Amino acid sequence: MCEGRDARAPLGAGASWPAPGAGVPATARFVDGEGRPVDVRALVHRIRAAGSGVGTGATRASAGRTAPAPRVVVLVDGRSGTGKTTLADQLAAAVPAQVVHLDDVYPGWDGLRAAADAVVRDVLAPPDATGRPGWRRWDWAAGLPAGWVSVAPDQDLVVEGCGALSRAASGMATFRIWLDGEDDARRRRALDRDGPVFAREWDRWAAQEAAFIAEEQPREHADVVLRIAEPDAGQSQPSSCSRSSSMP
């Protein structure tokens, strides 16, 4: 599901997760459709330049009124093993911005569609009396909904995960990114990261990804399509990233 996070379904007693981020290192680099390297700082400049024509869902709010400068709202989508979390964290550090990882939002292994709806309904919602915007955290260890996590409506935001870039969410964002990847490479990265747990759930999750893509056509809504730059032959990559997680 995600790269560099430990928000996954509960394991049996005595089991342990592989090192976070073993699939896609935090230092991974990305390329465009022509294979040209993408500089994150240049991408952030493009993201900010694109923010002038956003809708009210991505407007910076202050003291109950709308300020003229729009906030940055970036959606990063793609199938498992394409580097969504890695790119989102790189962008968030460069903007800087708060990050919502949909791995924390999916209500279990059948929750992709529910999380996609929550992005529109809750994460990107304007402030109101209900306490939105924000999201309901899913406790993977207990298999139950957990606490509400608020999103600051006046701070720049990156939302990443398969399901982030729906048709409805697209119109509420300032910039949209789709990450491509060859099926074999994606699966290798994901299973290197999550091992037998995700191996058992791969087909189940992939079917939801395929259904979401068929219905929402996220790639068609993207401002840019990127992919992970594969290392040169014989060049090794770090085995894990620097992020850590308190989740089981």
Side-chain angles (χ1 to χ4, degrees):
M1 295 163 66
C2 71
E3 297 75 30
R5 293 190 57 76
D6 230 1
R8 304 178 182 93
L11 294 169
S16 61
W17 290 109
V24 180
T27 55
R29 297 184 180 276
F30 296 83
V31 296
D32 63 15
E34 302 298 323
R36 295 171 297 197
V38 174
D39 181 80
V40 171
R41 291 169 298 179
L43 183 57
V44 169
H45 179 76
R46 181 175 174 184
I47 288 169
R48 290 198 178 281
S52 59
V54 301
T56 56
T59 301
R60 192 184 302 272
S62 177
R65 60 185 177 83
T66 300
R71 67 168 177 158
V72 167
V73 177
V74 183
L75 305 179
V76 181
D77 207 328
R79 301 194 72 163
S80 293
T82 52
K84 298 181 298 298
T85 299
T86 299
L87 179 60
D89 286 344
Q90 291 177 2
L91 289 174
V95 169
Q98 56 194 326
V99 187
V100 174
H101 300 283
L102 292 193
D103 268 12
D104 296 330
V105 183
Y106 300 127
W109 284 107
D110 295 308
L112 192 154
R113 181 72 247 183
D117 293 341
V119 170
V120 176
R121 182 186 65 244
D122 299 325
V123 176
L124 301 182
D128 63 19
T130 67
R132 294 182 298 175
W135 47 277
R136 179 70 59 187
R137 184 176 67 83
W138 180 257
D139 186 335
W140 285 93
L144 295 168
W148 180 262
V149 181
S150 295
V151 172
D154 60 344
Q155 295 180 15
D156 296 331
L157 174 66
V158 177
V159 182
E160 70 84 13
C162 191
L165 184 47
S166 64
R167 298 177 191 274
S170 175
M172 305 171 78
T174 63
F175 204 80
R176 308 140 199 92
I177 300 172
W178 176 259
L179 292 176
D180 267 340
E182 296 293 333
D183 289 346
D184 289 345
R186 293 192 304 102
R187 185 181 178 95
R188 171 180 52 77
R189 294 186 198 110
L191 299 190
D192 282 351
R193 179 191 67 223
D194 294 339
V197 174
F198 200 5
R200 292 194 299 268
E201 305 291 351
W202 179 266
D203 290 340
R204 178 180 180 183
W205 189 255
Q208 294 173 75
E209 292 178 332
F212 175 81
I213 292 168
E215 180 178 355
E216 301 290 349
Q217 299 293 312
R219 196 179 193 278
E220 302 305 315
H221 297 290
D223 296 291
V224 65
V225 177
L226 306 176
R227 59 181 172 84
I228 294 174
E230 296 293 345
D232 295 334
Q235 177 182 352
S236 62
Q237 291 194 20
S239 61
S240 63
C241 71
S242 59
R243 297 187 62 197
S244 62
S245 174
S246 60
M247 300 190 72

